[in-house]
Every structure is written in structure tokens, then in C-alpha cells.
Amino acid sequence: MASTVNTGTVDTDKRPDTGKRPGYGQLLRTPGALSFLLPGFAARQPFAMLTIGIVLLVQHTTGSFGSAGAVAAVTGVSMALFAPQSGKLADRFGQRAVLVPGVLVHTASVSLLVVLALAGAPLWALFLAAVPAGASVPQVGPMVRARWAAKLDGTPLMPTAAAFESVTDEFTFVVGPVLATALCTGVHPAAGLIAEAGLTLVGGLFFAAQRATQPAYGPAASHASEPHRSALSVPGVRVLIVAFLGIGSVFGGMQVSLTAFSEEIGNPGVNGLLYGVFAAGNMLAGIAMGAVAWKTGPRRRLILGYAGLTAAASLLWSVHSVLLLGALGLVVGLCIAPALITGYTIVETLIPASARTEAFTWLTGAVALGQAAAVTVAGRLADAHGASTGFLVPLAGTALALTTLVLLRSRLKPREASRVAARGIGHRVPVAVD
């Protein structure tokens, strides 16, 4: 059986000039960057709308946050399980070959979920529809990161690209939940998911059409000195997965608990505002992270950033006013970006080029799995004991992840090939992890 080979999708002779101090302007001048950034931004919007759209629709049709959280959790678990497989296929056959059928399946699955929910179908039927809806979520964020890595591998712009992607992700988490909430509360309870399906279809196909910037795939992505291996076989990747599970617990716990809090005070419209403030804090911190020339190693930055996130999350359950919750949500958001960005920066030093997309999808899937678990647990706690107890979920998730990071930090050392590659292109690239 012939192997799939791609040898001409990335022009390595057009790498950006990295002689100057890395910055966002220099990053955006990378040849071909805008051709995948703009459609990639549109295609990743639905990712931030899916969970909250499901929660709002199913809660409306069933009257239970627990049921709504459970359906959303099935979607998240399904995505977490299938996303890495999607990444493996993209590394082997190319992003376009995975995206096009995935986008079509996702649009059909979400449409079916909407019809079933509005028809009052039993909960098990919603669970069945949620499985393909989650499994087919387009992994646009990891694919964009893989395109950056293919263009910037070994250059000082890689941390800047990681920060830029975090800012982009968080901007979608500002726009997506607010848009979904506004549509669900102001137009129709199903409007958020309908918009999610439409954006997935249009944005995903548009991104898939950008073939010129698609990373090399198949044997062309491997080197003789770096035989193909699964990203999950790297111990450091497994440690980062645990860290990203904790980050997912913050996203999921905040989504459900803020929704429940808004319902408790009789002002459901404030939910989008509170979550938008939380996501805005993340975005602002991401902008700052990319603009700073760090002297501290990424491993230490990750642990310190995660410690701050855990400390901030520990206070959420005790706050009962909109103003204070908004302020604390902003602080939590500010603490997420350092952990998220540094984690993506570290994983790039741990894995070979042939497993890039898979590694990024493992981390994205971990966020989704953590979010799914948090949505389920926080929903049931909010139903049984009130919104404030739902905020205990982010605390538990981040505390467990921080403990893992501290105990297993030695596994986050970069592989030797990353050090050699960094020196080989003539740039002084920091590789210290302490």
C-alpha cells in the first residue's frame, strides 16, 4: 500500500527574518500567515459556543442544569477521545482530508441534537446525538498551531506564536459564549447551536481550502533521526495533559456556575457579561505574555502561573455579588493565560515534527475533557446545593493538576533534538526549562 507523501506545502525558504526582537507585528508578517489566520479565526468560533449552547438549550427544555451539563459533558468526552485521533490522521493524510468530512458530520450532528431537544426527546437520545457532535468538532486551533510550528520551527518567534494563539482562542471565548447566550436568551433557545453549526460549516470549509500553508504530512514530515512516534508516548506530554485537564475544569466550572448564579439572582442576561469578563482577563494576559521577553524558564513559569490560577480559583465559591464575582473572574482569567501559553510552548520542545498536530489535539482534548467533567459535576452541585458550590470544581481541578506538575516537573525537559534544531538554524533560542 502506497504511503501518502506531501513535500511542497510549506516553503521553508520563506521563513521570517528573526534577527529583530520577536513581536506580534513581526509574527503577522510571516509569509502566508494571514491566509490561514483569518479563516482559522472564523472556523474556531463555534468551539466556544458549543458547550454553552447545549447547556442553555437542554436546560430550557428539561429544566435541569444537571441534565444540561450531562449532555454537554458527553459532547466534551467524545471530543476529548476523538480529537487526538483526528490529529493523528491530519499528521498522516493532511489537514484538509480530515477537516472536510468532519465539518459535514458535525453540522449534521448538531442539527439532529437541536431537533431532538426541541421535540422533547428522552435524555438517552440527546446523549446519542451528543457523541458524534463532540467527536466531529473541527480541531482548527491545533491545526493553526501546527501551521505556525511548521513555519517557525526553532525560531524565537515560536513563543510569540503560542501567545498569539492563546489570545485568539480567548477572544473566541469572549465572543462565542456572549454570542451564544445572546442568541439563546434573545432570539430562541436553539439559536446558539444553530449559529454554531452554520459557522462550523462555512468557516471549516474555508480553512480547509487553504492548502498552500498546510504542514507537510506523512513520511515527508519525519526525519531519519526522528522516527514517528505517538505524542502520548512522551512522558512530558502526559504531564501537560493533566495540567490542561485542570484548565478545562476552570472553563467548565465557570460556564455552568455563572449560568446558575445568574439564574439565582433573577438576571440570566448577566451570564454572558460575567463570562466575557473572565475570558477577557485571559485574553489580556495572553497579549502581555507574548510581548514580554522572559528570562525565567518555561517550566518554572508554568508552575508559578498554575499556582496563581489555583489560588484565584480557591476564592470563587465565597463570592455572592455580581461586581465581586466579575472582578474575581477577571483575576482567574488573567491567571489562565500564563499556564496555557507556557504549556503549548513546552509541548513543542517535547515532540517530533511528525506528531505536532496530534500533540496539540491531546492538549485541546484534555481541556475539553476537563470542561466536560466540570460541567457535569458543577451542574449537579448547582442543582442540589446552589451556584456557589459549583465554583468548588475549578478549585479541585486546578489543585490536583498543580500537584501533578510539581511532582513530575522533571518530565518537562525538552528533547535533545529540539536543542540541536535550535542551534542548527543559527539563532540563539532559549532552551532552559527551569
Side-chain angles (χ1 to χ4, degrees), residues 197-248:
L199 283 172
T200 297
L201 181 63
V202 176
L205 293 178
F206 188 24
F207 180 78
Q210 311 307 309
R211 302 178 68 176
T213 55
Q214 182 175 237
Y217 54 87
S222 302
H223 302 282
S225 60
E226 293 185 1
H228 178 76
R229 59 189 298 201
S230 170
L232 196 59
S233 68
V234 179
V237 172
R238 298 196 293 270
V239 174
L240 290 175
I241 286 173
V242 175
F244 277 56
L245 282 169
I247 292 173

Side-chain angles (χ1 to χ4, degrees), residues 371-431:
Q371 183 176 0
V375 164
T376 303
V377 177
R380 296 196 176 280
L381 288 174
D383 276 344
H385 305 290
S388 61
T389 58
F391 288 117
L392 294 173
V393 174
L395 168 59
T398 53
L400 289 173
L402 176 61
T403 302
T404 302
L405 280 174
V406 171
L407 294 177
L408 302 178
R409 60 188 181 278
S410 62
R411 299 187 179 184
L412 299 178
K413 290 184 178 180
R415 61 195 177 92
E416 184 61 28
S418 291
R419 303 169 188 253
V420 173
R423 288 192 290 266
I425 63 170
H427 294 288
R428 292 176 58 86
V429 180
V431 293

Side-chain angles (χ1 to χ4, degrees), residues 20-370:
K20 300 179 182 179
R21 183 177 183 272
Y24 291 118
Q26 186 178 347
L27 180 72
L28 295 177
R29 289 193 295 273
T30 301
L34 293 181
S35 69
F36 66 82
L37 283 181
L38 296 180
F41 177 76
R44 75 210 312 180
Q45 288 299 320
F47 181 82
M49 300 173 66
L50 183 60
T51 299
I52 191 65
I54 290 174
V55 167
L56 292 174
L57 174 60
V58 177
Q59 194 278 330
H60 172 80
T61 57
T62 65
S64 169
F65 280 109
S67 296
V71 176
V74 170
T75 305
V77 170
S78 180
M79 178 192 146
L81 293 176
F82 282 90
Q85 309 312 314
S86 172
K88 283 184 179 180
L89 291 173
D91 285 329
R92 183 175 179 183
F93 299 109
Q95 295 182 358
R96 177 184 172 86
V98 175
L99 267 177
V100 173
V103 163
L104 297 177
V105 171
H106 183 75
T107 303
S109 301
V110 172
S111 300
L112 176 61
L113 181 58
V114 170
V115 170
L116 290 173
L118 293 178
L123 197 58
W124 63 263
L126 299 183
F127 288 155
L128 289 180
V131 172
S136 58
V137 171
Q139 298 302 309
V140 177
M143 290 182 179
V144 171
R145 285 183 165 90
R147 295 188 186 215
W148 278 126
K151 282 184 168 291
L152 304 175
D153 188 21
T155 76
L157 276 174
M158 267 309 298
T160 307
F164 181 84
E165 284 306 303
S166 180
V167 172
T168 304
D169 280 342
E170 291 319 309
F171 188 68
T172 67
F173 275 96
V174 173
V175 175
V178 174
L179 176 60
T181 301
L183 290 171
C184 289
T185 58
V187 179
H188 188 277
L193 282 183
I194 292 172
E196 190 271 349
L199 283 172
T200 297
L201 181 63
V202 176
L205 293 178
F206 188 24
F207 180 78
Q210 311 307 309
R211 302 178 68 176
T213 55
Q214 182 175 237
Y217 54 87
S222 302
H223 302 282
S225 60
E226 293 185 1
H228 178 76
R229 59 189 298 201
S230 170
L232 196 59
S233 68
V234 179
V237 172
R238 298 196 293 270
V239 174
L240 290 175
I241 286 173
V242 175
F244 277 56
L245 282 169
I247 292 173
S249 75
V250 178
F251 286 124
M254 291 292 280
Q255 282 184 341
V256 171
S257 300
L258 289 176
T259 301
F261 173 80
S262 301
E263 294 282 349
E264 277 188 4
I265 64 173
N267 188 6
V270 79
N271 173 40
L273 176 62
L274 287 173
Y275 195 85
V277 169
F278 158 70
N282 197 346
M283 183 176 65
L284 292 173
I287 294 173
M289 284 285 293
V292 173
W294 294 98
K295 295 182 179 179
T296 305
R299 187 168 59 172
R300 181 173 296 175
R301 293 204 309 271
L302 178 61
I303 293 175
L304 291 176
Y306 223 104
L309 176 60
T310 304
S314 69
L315 301 175
L316 287 168
W317 67 275
S318 63
V319 177
H320 303 286
S321 75
V322 173
L323 184 61
L324 289 177
L325 189 56
L328 186 56
L330 178 66
V331 174
V332 173
L334 289 170
C335 293
I336 285 181
L340 198 67
I341 292 170
T342 309
Y344 276 118
T345 301
I346 290 175
V347 78
E348 173 63 20
T349 70
L350 300 176
I351 47 93
S354 59
R356 276 182 181 138
T357 310
E358 181 197 350
F360 291 138
T361 50
W362 272 114
L363 298 188
T364 303
V367 173
L369 184 58

